[in-house]
Amino acid sequence: MSKVKGYIDETVEEMKNKVSWPAYSDLQNSSVLVLIGSLIFALVVGAMDFVFDSSLSWFYNQF
């Protein structure tokens, strides 16, 4: 049990003193970029799905 407590204590110490945390404004900018990138990716995948669905439906209705 002492090994677990030591591990947790070392982890807390490292997170407090050794990790360089970004500024809040940097986090906001990164979050906005991730949101925009995710929306663009979702729109591209949705458009591809629509095109493939429409083209395959048209193709199968020809027979």
Side-chain angles (χ1 to χ4, degrees), residues 18-50:
K18 295 181 182 178
V19 174
S20 61
W21 296 98
Y24 186 70
S25 61
D26 293 336
L27 289 175
Q28 284 180 322
N29 291 337
S30 297
S31 298
V32 168
L33 287 176
V34 168
L35 179 63
I36 291 170
S38 298
L39 288 174
I40 290 171
F41 185 74
L43 289 173
V44 168
V45 170
M48 289 172 53
D49 181 52
F50 177 75

